[in-house]
Amino acid sequence: MIDPPPEFSPFVPRRGLRGGHAQTLASYFMRRRDRLPVAERRFFRVAQDTEVVCDCHWQADKTGAMTAVLVHGLEGSSESSYMLGTAAKSLAAGMNVVRMNMRNCGGTEKLTPTLYHSGFSGDLAAVVKELIQKDGLSRIGLAGFSMGGNLVMNLVGEWGAAKPHEVRASATVSPVMDLGPSADALHNRSNRVYEIKFVRGLARLFRRKAELFPERYDASRLKGVRSIREFDEQITAPYDGFRDADDYYARVSSSRLVERITLPSLVIYSTDDPFIRLVPGTRAKLRGNAAVKYLETHRGGHCAFLAAPNGYDGRWAERKVVEFLSKF
């Protein structure tokens, strides 16, 4: 029996921030005052040749508390503002927090010879397994943002009914569950500022990987790459074992696994997200799965959802993630 989800107040955008671009950009540039205690920086072996780094915060009763494992988005890290904000809210709610860097992120390029993409759900599974077996944690919730949301949904779908009983729930904000349509939406003229930022960041990372592993990577393959799709066609697909970008998108999009999800899961998505597209079939699957609480708003942008700061900082989606996980 799945515990009932909390009552969700509707999202009302902050005055002056009604559009998707306004929400997204304001969320990125707005100053935040999230203060966290010093984290325990911890290395997790997730594959024979790969480690990932997590920043961990523990309650005094570590094993008795719920643990929120947070996963960032594309070109993010454990230091991304939404990661810090959600961590602060989770700690205040009495949870442990593990802020996970995906492989190569947060300055960890030396810890793996591979690149990173949204299909490495096994990395998150390995972190969860160690938290259960080594740390003795018995109540774990997963939360992912954007690309990290797709990774979380992939893992939950892959687990299906065989999910670890210690993992109680998941929550995602603006998950990239349909990679192909989202990559193409990024190339729209109105979204070029986002795509340029992402492509430049990915190119910098790839050049660093080529310097660290020159026998493995050829930086000249970046020539002519101006879009996310071109990057995935020229870099992600050939180096990660996919036939091409379309094959990568098809095999890594978590939309293909929605029917398998049995873990209580919250999905928050705004239809005015500038570049994340959940196709109608995916939204129908989410609504049709009794284990999924799908919250679709018409305002909120991408991983933003800035409401009026009435008694809290107004980061509505972060608050809903913590409220949802707290129920389990």
Side-chain angles (χ1 to χ4, degrees):
M1 177 70 69
I2 296 173
D3 292 334
E7 292 300 319
F8 287 95
S9 58
F11 172 68
V12 179
R14 189 175 303 190
R15 181 178 297 179
L17 297 176
R18 292 183 59 83
H21 291 293
Q23 282 271 327
T24 303
L25 294 172
S27 178
Y28 183 79
F29 289 108
M30 191 176 291
R31 178 175 293 184
R32 302 190 59 152
R33 294 184 174 87
D34 298 305
R35 293 182 174 87
L36 296 174
V38 176
E40 174 195 346
R41 175 143 279 213
R42 184 159 154 190
F43 293 76
F44 290 78
R45 176 72 59 179
V46 298
Q48 185 175 1
D49 59 356
T50 298
E51 289 181 307
V52 299
V53 174
C54 297
D55 292 313
C56 307
H57 307 272
W58 308 115
Q59 299 288 343
D61 181 11
K62 177 180 176 180
T63 57
M66 178 79 166
T67 299
V69 182
L70 313 181
V71 189
H72 61 82
L74 182 66
E75 283 303 289
S77 74
S78 63
E79 296 295 320
S80 294
S81 62
Y82 51 82
M83 295 280 281
L84 299 177
T86 307
K89 293 177 179 64
S90 299
L91 285 169
M95 299 185 199
N96 302 315
V97 176
V98 176
R99 293 182 284 127
M100 175 181 167
N101 287 288
M102 293 191 211
R103 59 174 68 190
N104 288 294
C105 298
T108 64
E109 301 92 336
K110 295 180 179 180
L111 300 181
T112 177
T114 64
L115 302 177
Y116 86 107
H117 61 69
S118 195
F120 282 117
S121 54
D123 291 0
L124 177 56
V127 170
V128 169
K129 183 177 180 180
E130 182 169 327
L131 291 173
I132 294 170
Q133 295 183 350
K134 183 176 180 179
D135 295 80
L137 303 183
S138 60
R139 290 185 297 139
I140 295 173
L142 311 178
F145 299 83
S146 193
M147 177 177 166
N150 183 59
L151 188 143
V152 167
M153 296 293 281
N154 267 320
L155 178 58
V156 172
E158 289 160 1
W159 276 339
K163 60 189 180 296
H165 67 85
E166 293 89 352
V167 180
R168 303 301 179 87
S170 76
T172 57
V173 179
S174 307
V176 195
M177 299 180 66
D178 293 305
L179 270 71
S182 299
D184 293 338
L186 258 176
H187 201 55
N188 293 341
R189 178 177 293 182
S190 61
N191 289 327
R192 283 296 289 158
V193 63
Y194 309 112
E195 183 165 56
I196 289 171
K197 176 184 181 298
F198 288 141
V199 171
R200 286 178 176 173
L202 289 169
R204 283 195 298 270
L205 174 59
F206 185 70
R207 291 190 182 98
R208 288 197 294 271
K209 294 296 288 190
E211 292 174 359
L212 289 167
F213 304 96
E215 72 288 348
R216 186 170 183 136
Y217 299 113
D218 179 7
S220 69
R221 294 185 68 94
L222 287 169
K223 185 177 181 180
V225 170
R226 298 291 183 272
S227 70
I228 290 292
R229 178 175 280 275
E230 289 171 348
F231 183 89
D232 289 333
E233 187 78 27
Q234 295 297 321
I235 308 297
T236 307
Y239 284 118
D240 285 307
F242 301 100
R243 184 177 62 253
D244 52 25
D246 284 329
D247 182 48
Y248 164 54
Y249 297 150
R251 290 168 57 186
V252 171
S253 292
S254 60
S255 56
R256 76 198 193 284
L257 297 171
V258 173
E259 293 96 337
R260 289 175 46 86
I261 294 173
T262 63
L263 186 74
S265 297
L266 171 67
V267 177
I268 299 175
Y269 170 71
S270 175
T271 57
D272 74 350
D273 191 308
F275 48 86
I276 300 303
R277 300 291 181 265
L278 294 188
V279 303
T282 298
R283 291 151 77 187
K285 291 177 185 177
L286 290 167
R287 292 188 178 104
N289 187 328
V292 177
K293 176 68 176 179
Y294 177 55
L295 289 185
E296 181 178 287
T297 69
H298 298 297
R299 297 285 187 268
H302 181 68
C303 290
F305 299 93
L306 293 172
N310 296 328
Y312 75 115
D313 63 1
R315 303 279 176 163
W316 180 85
E318 295 175 10
R319 191 182 197 186
K320 296 309 166 190
V321 165
V322 175
E323 287 176 357
F324 185 78
L325 295 183
S326 294
K327 293 293 179 178
F328 301 94

